[in-house]
Each structure stands twice: as C-alpha cells, then as structure tokens.
Amino acid sequence: MKTVLYPGSFDPFTNGHLDLVERAGLLFDRVVVAVAVNAAKSPIFTMQERCDLIRQSCAKLEHVEVVAIDGLLVDSLNQYGADAILRGLRAFSDFEYELQMALLNRNLRKNCETIFMMPTLKNSFVSSTLIKEVARLNGDFEPYVPPPVAAALRKKLGLADK
Ligand code: PNS
C-alpha cells in the first residue's frame, strides 16, 4: 500500500489541487491531503473549514483522506504512514520555493522524498491567492474552484448568491 502526503495551506482548495489529488490516485493507493500551517500566510478559512471543504470536494474519491497537521511537515510522514510528499508545480516561478522546501525537508528527515506533479494546462495558472483576489473584486472565480468552495467563498466574502 503506497501512501503520499499532499500538504498545503489550501486557502481555499482549487480545481488545480483537485486535479493533483485525482492524478496522484493513479500512482498511489492512498492520498492524504494535509492541511498545514504556512507561517507566511494569513488564511481566510479556518483549518476546520478548509478540511471540511476538501472533504466535500473529494467526496467521490475513495483514495483520499483529509487531515489537519501542525508542527513540522516531516513529523507527519510517519504518523500517516506516508512514503513521500506530493507537491504541485505550475510554472517555473514555483520551482525555487519548492526546491528549497524539498531539500530542507530531506535535511530534516533522511530519505524524505518530494514528488512533483503538474496540473492539467487549464488549471496551470490557478492559485488560491488569485482566486481570492478575483472573488473579492467580484470577478467570476467559479470555474476555478469546486462547487462547495465557491459557495463557501461567496459566504465568507459576503457576496450575493448565484
Ligand atoms: O500551500 P502552501 O502554502 O504553499 O504550503 C506550504 C506548506 C504548508 C506545505 C509549508 O509551509 C509547510 O510545510 N508547513 C508546515 C511547517 C513546516 O514543516 N515548515 C518547514 C517547511 S520546509
């Protein structure tokens, strides 16, 4: 049984994230989506809200488990029986940050491997940060997030129902 841990702040979970979770299911028996703390970000959704939205968005995917983690990511690998970390790479601009994290994680825990997957082209420009900005400015963000996330984002930002 091969397990991969897919960490992120997921504020909120987008179609790009969903795409990766689906793709990872073709390679791994179990994908544990780990909602984690990124000290550099101030999320608009609570940890619990983010976990619930991912669970709703992935409800049809049997290989997916959603957990909230705190502390160091590498310390969660054993806890969830994960063989590797999964991260998405969209563009070259993601690479430097991802390389730093992957190498630091491997220094923190020997044999900690990070696997990168690319989303489909139509999701390759989607980021949680941009989605929130478009939503705040009343733009059409709905094509880029799963329906439960769209509804929650509208509610959180006080936008009118569609
Ligand atoms: O979606 P993000 O915000 O790019 O995800 C970054 C995240 C949450 C994976 C990263 O900040 C993280 O691993 N946080 C947990 C604490 C930790 O282990 N930090 C050291 C990373 S090298």
Side-chain angles (χ1 to χ4, degrees):
M1 172 98 150
K2 286 281 174 202
T3 298
V4 75
L5 192 78
Y6 179 28
S9 32
F10 303 116
D11 185 56
F13 192 72
T14 67
N15 286 344
H17 297 130
L18 181 57
D19 182 279
L20 228 68
V21 167
E22 285 170 343
R23 261 166 223 288
L26 303 174
L27 298 176
F28 292 89
D29 305 296
R30 188 170 152 247
V31 178
V32 179
V33 182
V35 182
V37 177
N38 180 338
K41 292 183 179 170
S42 308
I44 63 167
F45 288 102
T46 65
M47 199 73 138
Q48 185 63 52
E49 286 170 333
R50 284 178 275 158
C51 287
D52 288 346
L53 288 173
I54 300 170
R55 281 191 195 107
Q56 290 165 32
S57 305
C58 297
K60 291 194 178 126
L61 303 175
E62 286 178 3
H63 62 278
V64 178
E65 223 174 286
V66 183
V67 299
I69 62 171
D70 54 16
L72 277 179
L73 175 60
V74 288
D75 291 339
S76 299
L77 285 176
N78 276 354
Q79 189 181 349
Y80 295 102
D83 301 286
I85 294 170
L86 171 69
R87 292 282 290 173
L89 260 189
R90 289 164 304 189
F92 195 65
S93 50
D94 284 341
F95 184 73
E96 195 174 341
Y97 170 60
E98 294 299 335
L99 179 71
Q100 272 183 327
M101 281 208 299
L103 295 181
L104 184 49
N105 281 331
R106 197 155 62 195
N107 267 12
L108 292 169
R109 185 179 182 273
K110 201 167 168 266
N111 300 332
C112 168
E113 292 299 342
T114 303
I115 290 170
F116 295 100
M117 293 180 81
M118 290 71 168
T120 181
L121 206 54
K122 81 174 162 62
N123 289 324
S124 62
F125 57 88
V126 176
S127 81
S128 299
T129 305
L130 285 180
I131 298 303
K132 282 181 285 191
E133 184 173 330
V134 172
R136 279 193 188 104
L137 298 172
N138 229 354
D140 185 14
F141 64 92
E142 311 229 352
Y144 312 111
V145 292
V149 173
L153 201 47
R154 274 200 305 271
K155 196 167 169 204
K156 181 69 78 176
L157 297 177
L159 304 171
D161 278 347
K162 263 203 153 179

